Amino acid sequence: MRSEQPNRPAWMPPDRTVSALPAGRWWDVVVVPQRAGLDALEVLDRESGHCPGPVIWDVAPNNPRLYFLVPLGTAATWPSVRGCEARGETTYIGVPGATTIEPPGVHWLCPPDPDRPGELVDAAALRAALELLAVAS
């Protein structure tokens, strides 16, 4: 898949679309239940001062969750974190086009930064945030 504009990742679907893309090719994905994901995103945002990297919100009524796009190889080394799962090859997720930033449906909470299109979520920082939140609850 080719990027429509400069400074967009090559894997980014066209605007106003959602494409099923494979984890384990450009990035791995950490799947987090909605509440824990929103809380972790708040921690990461507070620590970094900005969105921590690409995060997708799947607002499916029966199983809402967040997808944190993390570096390749994360799924192989991700420790057990309650309710969260890192996935690599053999997993497909719905990835929206860059301008899809609100519901309904799958949308970006943090789209890829056009100034840093290759930046992903720091897996160690995400794990630390999730573990901190698990201890606090």
Side-chain angles (χ1 to χ4, degrees):
M1 186 173 307
R2 300 206 48 99
S3 178
E4 292 178 350
Q5 300 172 352
N7 297 331
R8 287 177 71 167
W11 50 262
M12 178 68 72
D15 289 345
R16 296 176 296 285
T17 67
V18 175
S19 296
L21 297 181
R25 181 169 178 192
W26 301 284
W27 31 256
D28 284 353
V29 62
V30 176
V31 183
V32 183
Q34 177 177 280
R35 181 76 262 145
L38 292 171
D39 290 346
L41 183 59
E42 184 178 321
V43 169
L44 294 172
D45 186 49
R46 187 172 51 243
E47 289 177 356
S48 67
H50 59 80
C51 277
V55 181
I56 299 168
W57 193 353
D58 182 349
V59 293
N62 295 332
N63 191 16
R65 56 198 174 269
L66 274 62
Y67 299 122
F68 291 82
L69 304 188
V70 295
L72 286 172
T74 298
T77 61
W78 186 258
S80 176
V81 178
R82 186 179 62 189
C84 306
E85 184 179 1
R87 299 180 186 169
E89 293 180 12
T90 74
T91 296
Y92 282 75
I93 63 167
V95 177
T99 60
T100 307
I101 57 171
E102 56 188 42
V106 175
H107 61 281
W108 290 104
L109 270 177
C110 295
D113 185 333
D115 294 328
R116 295 175 288 202
E119 182 178 72
L120 298 170
V121 174
D122 180 314
L126 174 60
R127 184 178 62 247
L130 291 167
E131 289 172 345
L132 174 71
L133 293 165
V135 168
S137 62

